[in-house]
Amino acid sequence: MAVTAMLKKDHEVLRRKLEFIETALQVAPQSVFVLREMCHSLTKMLDAHIRREEQVLAPHVNRVQAILRYREGDHADQQTLLRDINTMLLAGIRIPTSTLVDRLSHLIGELREHMAQEEREVFPAVERAEA
């Protein structure tokens, strides 16, 4: 089994969660509590994925950096944005629905692009190095 298999599985689960959040965004004013729970759950999932990713990629960081200029902690921006959104939702801070939708939509786009880039560039390089 490839060392990246678990990370790819994580990506599948994260993508499904992002689809659920997108669906909830379509009715955002009525789904604030659902979005709050989904964002909290996504935070936990992303944190666990980042830990697994760091563990799996650690032996290959030098190789991967040299090939792809991959930097450790690449999910940091998305993680910070998600934590900010969670803080607002959990604290009951009133923000315009359009702002919430914009921030979550931006986050979803960034996470999707990041996962696609890893699967397209980073994971194959790691798998070749392992072979």
Side-chain angles (χ1 to χ4, degrees), residues 85-96:
I85 292 168
N86 266 326
T87 300
M88 287 185 284
L89 289 170
L90 292 172
I93 296 172
R94 297 258 184 236
I95 59 170

Side-chain angles (χ1 to χ4, degrees), residues 61-81:
V61 167
N62 290 337
R63 234 179 251 139
V64 172
Q65 282 178 337
I67 297 169
L68 305 170
R69 296 187 188 132
Y70 177 81
R71 62 182 174 88
E72 196 172 337
D74 220 9
H75 285 291
D77 293 340
Q78 294 98 11
Q79 196 174 27
T80 300
L81 179 56

Side-chain angles (χ1 to χ4, degrees), residues 4 6-12 14-15 46 49-50 52-54 56-57 64 68 70-76 78 110-128:
T4 58
M6 181 54 115
L7 299 178
K8 289 176 184 177
K9 187 69 171 166
D10 281 356
H11 284 184
E12 289 175 27
L14 286 166
R15 283 186 178 102
L46 187 58
H49 170 69
I50 290 168
R52 279 190 292 278
E53 191 172 82
E54 288 171 351
V56 167
L57 298 180
V64 172
L68 305 170
Y70 177 81
R71 62 182 174 88
E72 196 172 337
D74 220 9
H75 285 291
Q78 294 98 11
E110 280 189 7
L111 282 171
R112 283 186 173 143
E113 177 54 36
H114 178 85
M115 290 185 289
Q117 182 182 18
E118 283 182 341
E119 291 169 358
R120 189 175 54 247
E121 299 172 2
V122 176
F123 294 173
V126 169
E127 290 165 4
R128 282 191 301 274

